[in-house]
Each structure stands twice: as structure tokens, then as C-alpha cells.
Amino acid sequence: MQNILSYSGNRGLSLLFDRFFKPSQIHFQNNRFVEVEEELIIDGLAIDGFVPYYQPIINSDTGKVIGAELLVRLVMDNGRVISPLQFIDYAEKSGLIIEITEQFLSKAFNDFNKLGWAGSDKYLSINIVPEHLKSRRLFKFIQDYVARGVINGNQIKLEITERLEINDLLGARSYLEDFYQLGITASLDDAGTGYGCFLYLQELALSSLKLDKRFIDTIAENKDTSVLDSIIGLAKSLKLEIVAEGVESLNQVTYLKRRGVKAIQGYVYGQPMPVIDFIDWKGNR
């Protein structure tokens, strides 16, 4: 594939879109793209602007960092940081999520030694969507870094979102088996909020489950936590590791700890941070 970074200017943008989209998907108005998301993604890829932010995952018993989730941000030439809410939906639908993932993962893996985690049991969680499971491209990309000793397979966890449907579960399981052979594990993200929670757990050989913020938010006075408690019970019965995300208060941490959920991710401990800030944050704990 021709290097995506070699394109420049309006002609380059047009050529790049010809490579990725059908004519019916391209909309022009005065030689500019109508969709803001399209422009953001193409411009971001061209300037190598997609970067990882790190949100810590903490063991609430020990207060120690056990890992971090990688969350993508787009940083423009002027330093402006753009939230994925402004581009991720189109990225997933168009297939450009593959290019975006490779761009920010290459930065995360190349910065891994800066974290001081080499040879440890600390891990990075990576969000993937059904588009990632339609080919072995992501696997080959990650396999290269593992083969070169940049990061160990057991220091990578894939988070498979439940909010998008996986139409070919057999194919997805086949692709995931390649990852499992490298020691990489997979988790169900957004559990209970979308398609096929039970089916995904049964068919994809997942080893952990992530409690969605919407259920964590029910841990408050006069809120019904029965769904949250049921999901925790299900995960325990299946002997799955459990991570709670979107945790914002010590009251929520205490509630979860009493139910055996000790891996905590959320603003109660730390927000998503660029690598330098994350390293500083770790050093100050």
C-alpha cells in the first residue's frame, strides 16, 4: 500500500479518498469535503497526528498501577487536541479506524520503555471494533512489535466493544486465536450495553469483562444496582477478571471492592493523559 503520509494538498486528499471510499461515499462542495469527520481523519493521518492517551487502571486494594487503557486523541499542528467523539464514528464506519489504530499504537509501543514496564506484568488495553477482526492486518502489526521484543504479548489486552455487532463470530474467533497464541488476552468492553454479551463471552473465549460507566453510575443513593450486581455475578461465575471503568468516587470504589471488583479505571484515580504526563503522574504516586 502506498504510504498514506506521502499524500499532500487537495490533490493528495482526493487521491487518498479514491483509495478508501466508493464514489457514493465522497461528497464535494467547492473542492472541499462536506463532512468534518472526513477532513479531520485525512488531515490527522497526513500529519501523523493520532496519538495515545493513557488512563491508569489501579488495584484498589494496593493502590498500585496494574495497567492502562490506550485512548486515541488527534493532535493538530497548532497543538489543538481533538476528542475521538468528533471522528471515531466515521472512522469505524469507513474502515479508516485501521489506519488510525496503527498510527497511535506505533507511538505507544515505541514509548513503552519510557513507562518502565518492560518485563513486568503491567499491561496496555487496546480498543478494537469488528472491522479489526475482518483480517489479520492488526495481528501482523502487533506481532511485529512482539517479535522484536518491544513489548510482550502478555502485556497487551484487546478490548472488544459490545456496542458494535460482530456478524461473523467464527471468523472473529479464528483471528483472535492468533492473538491468544502470542499470550495476548481479550476482554468484553461496554458489557451489557449492546449486542450479544452472552454470545461474545461464549464464542470468543474472552478472559475478562469491563463494567460500563452507565452501570457504575447506579452506585448512588436511591439508584437500582441490580443490573450491575448481575453482571458482576455473571463474570464471577464464568471466572472472568473484572475491570470497572468510569469510576469517579471513593464510594463507588468501596461498593465495587465489597463485591470483589478491585481493578478500577476512572477519574477517581486519573484521567486519560499523554505519555509524558502519565509518567509524571506515576512518579508522584
Side-chain angles (χ1 to χ4, degrees), residues 40 72-76 79-87:
L40 282 175
V72 66
R73 298 290 187 268
L74 172 55
V75 180
M76 304 306 291
R80 179 186 172 208
V81 179
I82 297 176
S83 163
L85 293 176
Q86 297 187 45
F87 60 80

Side-chain angles (χ1 to χ4, degrees), residues 5 35-54 70-88 90-91 96-97 99-101 103-104 107 272-274:
L5 300 180
E35 295 292 335
V36 173
E37 286 174 303
E38 295 174 352
E39 287 194 64
L40 282 175
I41 293 170
I42 298 304
D43 289 348
L45 288 170
I47 65 172
D48 197 29
F50 291 98
V51 303
Y53 270 45
Y54 299 74
L70 295 179
L71 299 160
V72 66
R73 298 290 187 268
L74 172 55
V75 180
M76 304 306 291
D77 279 338
N78 61 5
R80 179 186 172 208
V81 179
I82 297 176
S83 163
L85 293 176
Q86 297 187 45
F87 60 80
I88 202 69
Y90 189 82
L96 280 175
I97 189 65
E99 301 286 338
I100 291 171
T101 301
Q103 192 169 104
F104 84 84
K107 296 180 178 71
M273 297 166 264

